[in-house]
Amino acid sequence: MMRSLFYILILLLMTLQTNLAQPDTPPIRLVIHGGAGSIERSKLTAEREQAYTQVLAQSLAAGYVILKAGGSSIDAVSAAIVVMEDSPLFNAGRGAVFTHAGRNELDASIMDGATRMAGAVAAITTIRNPIRAAHAVMTQSEHVMLIGQGAETFAAEQGLEIVDPSYFYTEFRWKQLQKAIAEERVLLDHDVDFGIPQPGKDEKRGTVGAVALDRYGNLAAGTSTGGLTNKRFGRVGDSPIIGAGTYADNRSVAVSATGTGEMFIRTAAAFSTAAQVHLLRTPIAEAADNALREIAAIGGDGGLIVLNAEGHYSMRFNTRGMFRGTIGNDGIAWIGIYSGNEMPVTNSPVAITP
């Protein structure tokens, strides 16, 4: 009898030890993009590639620390995008392109998959981090989108950082505008840089976005952009439009898009991807590819990052490359740039410690 109790006790201790060693940890996941376009390895110097990789890694680290600590997917998305907005490498925030009038007009949106609440700003010129303004619209107002001066006044009232428009000036972007004007063309977010004498002239410098899953099973998505070089007449693309450039729904997926904005609007690309998963049970990669085929059919291209509530993700694009990366429970960040497989790794995995 005593021996039986002894073995039962040993079994219980072994079971407890196993459970402690292998906890049932809910999945967390962050996926980001920095734009899709004509990105060729031969056109991107090693130094330039390293610069992009470093910012992408910093973006992943910023969101991961929040998710690992039990923070929300919304906060992780915002933190990841802020890092890319603060870098001049991407067409968002500090690196925004110029309009025909020589202004930087920025757009952003964010969406909570648990509540389907959303916020967006468009055509703003003085808010340092548009994604934070979009988040404030979602949480501190009764509206979904605010534009122009109204959005800037609201952001100031919420205590967000307001900067002089000169903050967004970069010499490269200014030269890019002059070249586009000389060519009498609008430079799309994913176009080549028209021979401007800068490193990596064919590289993409684009719209940024993030999707995240927190340990509570909630999804979120966000997108931020400076739009098109040489754009006119108050043009707004897909990035601040819920259902076109951004969408999140816990019942299906979170989506952030980059590419030819008008075509993403006309096909409701982000919502279309989510609807396929929700209503038709389409696998996420297939749903993204279907959306991109619809975009291609009307003359557009670009990419999508997609994430579901189980932590499964996909990064799909129909261009030569897309700046992208992801990180999950193990804290290992994977970063890709060029076309090829679903996740070509251009550098060794980056270990990120919170």
Side-chain angles (χ1 to χ4, degrees), residues 91 97-100 103-107 121-124 147 186-190 207 225-241 244 258-266:
N91 178 19
V97 299
F98 284 92
T99 68
H100 182 75
R103 292 158 46 93
N104 305 103
E105 296 182 357
L106 298 87
D107 312 322
V121 291
I124 58 175
I147 66 171
V186 172
L187 178 58
L188 296 177
D189 184 50
H190 61 289
T207 294
T225 190
L228 307 179
T229 296
N230 201 28
K231 64 183 179 182
R232 308 190 191 197
F233 316 123
R235 180 265 185 187
V236 174
D238 66 307
S239 295
I241 298 178
T258 173
T260 42
E262 279 71 12
M263 282 64 170
F264 279 75
I265 294 171
R266 288 163 57 187

Side-chain angles (χ1 to χ4, degrees), residues 304-317:
L304 298 165
I305 55 174
V306 187
L307 174 66
N308 70 14
E310 285 73 50
H312 302 140
Y313 65 93
S314 187
M315 296 174 280
R316 309 297 289 178
F317 52 97

Side-chain angles (χ1 to χ4, degrees), residues 166-341:
S166 62
Y167 167 81
F168 301 106
Y169 178 93
T170 60
E171 188 66 16
F172 173 82
R173 293 301 192 191
W174 184 252
K175 289 180 178 179
Q176 189 181 53
L177 171 64
Q178 305 314 308
K179 187 67 173 178
I181 290 174
E183 296 280 346
E184 296 184 348
R185 294 179 62 182
V186 172
L187 178 58
L188 296 177
D189 184 50
H190 61 289
D191 278 350
V192 298
D193 291 330
F194 293 127
I196 297 170
Q198 289 286 106
K201 67 180 183 179
D202 286 335
E203 69 196 68
K204 169 72 170 64
R205 298 161 182 258
T207 294
V208 304
V211 293
L213 170 69
D214 62 33
R215 66 174 54 182
Y216 312 105
N218 294 322
L219 294 167
T223 312
S224 181
T225 190
L228 307 179
T229 296
N230 201 28
K231 64 183 179 182
R232 308 190 191 197
F233 316 123
R235 180 265 185 187
V236 174
D238 66 307
S239 295
I241 298 178
I242 300 302
T246 301
Y247 197 76
D249 185 343
N250 280 5
R251 300 172 301 173
S252 56
V253 291
V255 184
S256 177
T258 173
T260 42
E262 279 71 12
M263 282 64 170
F264 279 75
I265 294 171
R266 288 163 57 187
T267 58
F271 177 76
S272 170
T273 303
Q276 291 177 67
V277 176
H278 180 212
L279 301 176
L280 303 178
R281 299 293 185 259
T282 306
I284 59 175
E286 182 181 342
D289 287 343
N290 289 340
L292 290 172
R293 272 193 290 272
E294 289 296 307
I295 290 165
I298 56 174
D301 61 16
L304 298 165
I305 55 174
V306 187
L307 174 66
N308 70 14
E310 285 73 50
H312 302 140
Y313 65 93
S314 187
M315 296 174 280
R316 309 297 289 178
F317 52 97
N318 58 6
T319 57
R320 293 180 180 177
M322 182 168 73
F323 293 107
R324 62 203 187 276
T326 186
I327 190 168
N329 288 70
D330 60 6
I332 303 297
W334 293 89
I335 294 168
I337 297 177
Y338 309 105
S339 61
N341 296 328

Side-chain angles (χ1 to χ4, degrees), residues 25-255:
T25 305
I28 59 172
R29 175 65 60 179
L30 174 67
V31 187
I32 63 173
H33 72 77
S38 52
I39 312 163
E40 299 180 58
R41 191 184 298 270
S42 62
K43 304 293 185 180
L44 199 61
T45 67
E47 294 77 14
R48 203 68 171 172
E49 181 177 310
Q50 180 59 35
Y52 278 109
T53 300
Q54 181 176 354
V55 176
L56 291 171
Q58 290 170 350
S59 174
L60 289 170
Y64 172 76
V65 167
I66 291 171
L67 294 174
K68 190 70 173 178
S72 71
S73 54
I74 279 286
D75 287 343
V77 162
S78 181
I81 290 177
V82 162
V83 171
M84 292 186 281
E85 287 180 337
D86 285 345
S87 169
L89 292 176
F90 299 100
N91 178 19
R94 185 107 188 254
V97 299
F98 284 92
T99 68
H100 182 75
R103 292 158 46 93
N104 305 103
E105 296 182 357
L106 298 87
D107 312 322
S109 64
I110 196 165
M111 187 168 182
D112 182 345
T115 62
R116 283 182 282 170
M117 290 179 63
V121 291
I124 58 175
T125 62
T126 64
I127 304 172
R128 173 170 174 165
N129 293 111
I131 195 65
R132 286 178 171 160
H135 183 266
V137 171
M138 180 180 76
T139 59
Q140 304 300 320
S141 83
E142 298 178 352
H143 310 299
V144 170
M145 180 182 286
L146 298 178
I147 66 171
Q149 183 60 55
E152 293 170 355
T153 300
F154 171 78
E157 290 176 351
Q158 297 303 312
L160 299 184
E161 185 172 358
I162 304 300
V163 296
D164 187 89
S166 62
Y167 167 81
F168 301 106
Y169 178 93
T170 60
E171 188 66 16
F172 173 82
R173 293 301 192 191
W174 184 252
K175 289 180 178 179
Q176 189 181 53
L177 171 64
Q178 305 314 308
K179 187 67 173 178
I181 290 174
E183 296 280 346
E184 296 184 348
R185 294 179 62 182
V186 172
L187 178 58
L188 296 177
D189 184 50
H190 61 289
D191 278 350
V192 298
D193 291 330
F194 293 127
I196 297 170
Q198 289 286 106
K201 67 180 183 179
D202 286 335
E203 69 196 68
K204 169 72 170 64
R205 298 161 182 258
T207 294
V208 304
V211 293
L213 170 69
D214 62 33
R215 66 174 54 182
Y216 312 105
N218 294 322
L219 294 167
T223 312
S224 181
T225 190
L228 307 179
T229 296
N230 201 28
K231 64 183 179 182
R232 308 190 191 197
F233 316 123
R235 180 265 185 187
V236 174
D238 66 307
S239 295
I241 298 178
I242 300 302
T246 301
Y247 197 76
D249 185 343
N250 280 5
R251 300 172 301 173
S252 56
V253 291
V255 184

